[in-house]
Structures are given as C-alpha cells and as structure tokens.
Amino acid sequence: MKILVATEKPFARKAVEGIGAIVAEAGYEVVLLEKYTDKAQLLEAVVDVDGLIIRSDKVTSEVVDAAKNLKIVVRAGAGYDNVDLAACSARGIVVMNTPGQNSNAVAELAIGMMIFMARNKFTPGTGTELKGKRLGIHAYGNVGRLVGRCGKALGMEVSAYDPFITDAAYFEAEGVRKVDSVEELYSTADYVSIHIPATPQTKGSIGYELLKGMPKGATIINTARKEVIDEAGLMQVLTEREDMKYATDVAAECQVELDEKFGKRVFATAKKMGAETAEANINAGLAAARQAVGYLKDGITKFQVNK
C-alpha cells in the first residue's frame, strides 16, 4: 500500500522522517509531494495511493475522483474544512483530523496576541496588564482549555462557554467559571478568545449584537476561522466603540480597510500561524501517519470526521 504526503506548505524535516519511519514499519510505501505549485501534480500523484496525509492542501471532489484507490485522508491539524467531506463519503473514503496536536501552539499564540494588543502592539505609550482582567473562552476544547490555564497562570479571571459541555464540574476542575450563554460570556469578559469551528451554524455568528455589549476596553482574539466573524458587524462596532480592539490569526476579507481605519486597535498575522511551530508540525505529522496506518492496517476510525 502507498501513503502520499502532499504538502504545499512543507512539514518539518523531522516530521517527514518520522512519517516515513512509521509508514515503513507498517510495511507500506510513503510518497512525498512537497511544495508543489500546480494542482495537476497532486491529481497525478493521488492516482494509485491508498492513503493521503495533508496540511492545508485542498482535497476537492476532483482530487477524490482522481484517487481511484484512496481509502483514507488525514488532515494533520484540527480543522478539516479544506476537505470535501461529501465527496469522500460518497466514495467510502474515511476522513480524519489530528485533534490536540497543534493545541499548545495555538494557545500560546492567543496569549501572545493578548499581550501584544494590551501593550499597544509594542509601540510607545502606556499599555495594560493581563493580570486581574477577565478572560472569556468561546469553546472549551483542547485549545480553549490550554488558553484558560495560561490565563489563570497570568492572574486572569477565566470563564468559558461551550454548548456541548454541560457538566459544570468539568470547568470547575480547572478553576474556570462556566457561563450559560454566549451573550453572558461576551458581556462579562475584557478579553474573549475564540476557538469555535466554522460550521453552517457558527459562520457569521460573532457580529454587532454580540460585540457591542462587551465591557469598556475589551479585546477580541480570533485564532479560529475568519468565517465565524460577521465582518460588517465587526467594522460597525469598532467604529462606534473606539475603546475596543481586534486581533486575528486569520486576516479578514476587509483587513486592509480595518488596518486603515483602526490602526493600533486591530492586528492580523501575515498568514495563519496558529500551528506554525516546529513542535506542532512534528506532532501533527506523526499523529497523521499513525492514524493512516492504523486505519489501513487495523480499521481504526477513532478520529473520523465524516461518519
């Protein structure tokens, strides 16, 4: 069997070596398509492979149609909106992600962005401290939990909202206050760190009505997906509320306009950087390889996302 590692953005060399070792130990062949620039290269490479490991690469219906033997796709990372799940499901192809492998990298970036914005993007002038401020975490999964722990270590008061976790004891064990509505979270937090996925229910869900009631001097940190933000609503609230700030790891469609209008009060990374650490890169790559082999060898579907 063959497993293709296709990466427009290359894995760390240590990750590639580790993936190769895991695949070889299983008795399979690994094929590496690295830093390709033409989609035709991917279409040609997937023709006879059984497994596919990707990072940000798009697995479209066209790719699925070309991959005649494909049985599994593993996205090395948490998000999987770059994979056409319907096309894969129609062919009986299992799709997995690698939750938790990038979590620490994203959490550290979120905290770093809070400090960056609190200190006025490291430009001259009086900033503020995080200690004593209220941190609200929107979605309390792998990343959200780590952000909460970091916030508490910095002396922040932490609360969280997650409609899929109903047991208050789960939050209390971490010293985190559970809130019962997204409105309560935003209205009681000096900083909100967003960690929700982009789904039909969440896209555009964070907008004017939710943001306008945030406390004076509030800052929104988005290391999730740009699609969850209602950009028109964000623009309106930043216009009306000169005290508010917004920092994102996923530049808005209107980022140029945001930068021009609001200057120090907004920030976007040059590209999505949440998982851009050597450690996260290696962790996700090795996990993806183990999951691909586990499925092909033993039918393990623990992290399947297209059930």
Side-chain angles (χ1 to χ4, degrees), residues 232-255:
L234 173 66
M235 184 82 71
Q236 183 179 352
V237 80
L238 287 173
T239 301
E240 295 179 4
R241 293 275 308 272
E242 294 184 0
D243 57 297
M244 288 184 66
K245 299 177 182 179
Y246 177 69
T248 178
D249 184 36
V250 276
E253 291 294 327
C254 60
Q255 194 63 47

Side-chain angles (χ1 to χ4, degrees), residues 155-166:
M156 303 182 82
E157 299 174 16
V158 182
S159 59
Y161 171 73
D162 194 314
F164 300 103
I165 306 175
T166 57

Side-chain angles (χ1 to χ4, degrees), residues 113-134:
M113 292 173 82
M114 289 180 209
I115 294 171
F116 185 58
M117 297 305 287
R119 293 301 183 95
N120 297 318
K121 297 165 68 172
F122 300 154
T123 58
T126 303
T128 59
E129 299 178 11
L130 298 188
K131 183 178 180 181
K133 303 302 189 296
R134 297 167 297 178

Side-chain angles (χ1 to χ4, degrees), residues 19 24-25 34 61 98 106-107 136 160 166 169 175 180 185 187 196 201-202 215 217 220 222 238 280 296:
I19 291 170
E25 186 177 353
E34 199 171 27
S61 58
T98 60
V106 177
T166 57
D180 296 322
L185 183 78
S187 66
I196 59 176
Q201 292 73 36
T202 64
I220 307 109
N222 181 16
L238 287 173
L296 292 173

Side-chain angles (χ1 to χ4, degrees), residues 251-269:
E253 291 294 327
C254 60
Q255 194 63 47
V256 172
E257 187 177 357
L258 288 174
D259 290 336
E260 290 175 349
K261 283 189 173 184
F262 307 115
K264 285 185 183 179
R265 294 198 288 129
V266 297
F267 172 74
T269 54

Side-chain angles (χ1 to χ4, degrees), residues 84-108:
D84 188 328
L85 297 184
C88 288
S89 296
R91 278 271 313 280
I93 297 168
V94 169
V95 180
M96 296 185 188
N97 63 346
T98 60
Q101 302 302 323
N102 299 335
S103 298
N104 189 70
V106 177
E108 287 189 8

Side-chain angles (χ1 to χ4, degrees), residues 1-4 22-31 48-52 69-72 292-299:
M1 290 196 181
K2 290 183 181 179
I3 295 178
L4 172 65
I22 291 167
V23 173
E25 186 177 353
Y28 302 154
E29 178 184 350
V30 66
V31 180
D48 63 345
V49 301
D50 303 276
L52 174 60
N69 297 331
L70 192 61
K71 302 171 182 65
I72 181 168
V293 167
Y295 177 74
L296 292 173
K297 207 172 184 67
D298 301 311

